[in-house]
Amino acid sequence: MNTSVMPAVSEQQILEIINRFQGKPGALLGILETVQESNPHKYLPEETLQLIAKHTGTPLSRIYSLTTFYSFFNLQPQGEHIILVCRGTACHTRGSRVLLEDLSCLLDCSAFLESGENTFTTKDKKFTIKTVACFGQCALAPVVSIDGVIYSRMTSARLKGIIEKLAKGGKKHE
Ligand code: FES
């Protein structure tokens, strides 16, 4: 019996997803991405990776190397809201560090900033903060993505307003 606290994608669902990708180019990446999206916490638990390895006939080591190479794969449960802060040179110069400090105050995660880690999820699983290398929109720095929506020239006041709204269960965007 699966005693994992977090709900996972069932073996049956995984088999259906694998069948959907049969014979398609890049099938393994597509399978991993679709299975991750099907997980309520948008991640790939160990038992899920083992099932994908077993049913695709892929060595588990290959699955691990793919999921650790591509930053869009998550091996830990993600928060309800995902905040990506660009730490590239242009964004850094135009204040992304201040935005990260704002987030660390708002979400009580100052240890994250000092740890050098590039991801943090709040205890209540409401928010995940990640830093990224560059969104490719350097002219619009500093750039932040919240739940897939890109915000250019982000300011502390705007970020605070969005986070407070989301924390209260409000709609995602202004
Ligand atoms: S450095 Fe931030 S978008 Fe390029």
Side-chain angles (χ1 to χ4, degrees):
M1 195 172 92
N2 183 0
T3 53
S4 172
V5 180
M6 293 289 174
V9 182
S10 70
E11 187 164 7
Q12 183 56 39
Q13 284 174 281
I14 290 171
L15 280 168
E16 283 165 14
I17 291 167
I18 290 171
N19 282 337
R20 245 187 277 158
F21 280 89
Q22 214 122 54
K24 293 194 178 154
L28 187 53
L29 283 176
I31 291 164
L32 289 165
E33 193 176 354
T34 308
V35 172
Q36 176 171 284
E37 280 308 300
S38 304
N39 184 299
H41 296 279
K42 309 292 181 221
Y43 82 118
L44 295 163
E46 164 119 30
E47 61 269 29
T48 295
L49 296 180
Q50 285 169 356
L51 286 171
I52 293 172
K54 176 175 139 193
H55 292 300
T56 58
T58 309
L60 192 56
S61 58
R62 165 128 180 86
I63 305 247
Y64 272 120
S65 59
L66 281 176
T67 52
T68 49
F69 180 78
Y70 291 104
S71 59
F72 56 83
F73 290 125
N74 307 310
L75 299 178
Q76 298 297 327
Q78 300 296 287
E80 190 185 328
H81 302 289
I82 312 280
I83 304 163
L84 306 179
V85 180
C86 179
R87 290 187 98 172
T89 308
C91 289
H92 181 76
T93 310
R94 294 200 199 162
S96 65
R97 171 80 194 183
V98 173
L99 297 175
L100 279 167
E101 284 167 6
D102 293 337
L103 286 171
S104 84
C105 286
L106 287 166
L107 304 177
D108 193 20
C109 58
S110 53
F112 159 64
L113 266 188
E114 284 133 36
S115 69
E117 297 285 324
N118 67 351
T119 182
F120 173 86
T121 298
T122 55
K123 280 198 193 92
D124 61 4
K125 300 275 185 285
K126 190 107 182 158
F127 294 95
T128 291
I129 306 168
K130 292 183 182 192
T131 57
V132 297
C134 180
F135 281 110
Q137 302 198 20
C138 312
L140 304 175
V143 181
V144 172
S145 158
I146 301 176
D147 296 333
V149 175
I150 297 275
Y151 293 84
S152 56
R153 300 195 177 97
M154 181 60 95
T155 63
S156 293
R158 193 174 175 209
L159 182 60
K160 185 169 183 256
I162 297 171
I163 298 300
E164 285 176 347
K165 196 167 166 185
L166 293 175
K168 285 184 198 146
K171 288 275 173 222
K172 292 184 179 176
H173 308 295
E174 304 157 296

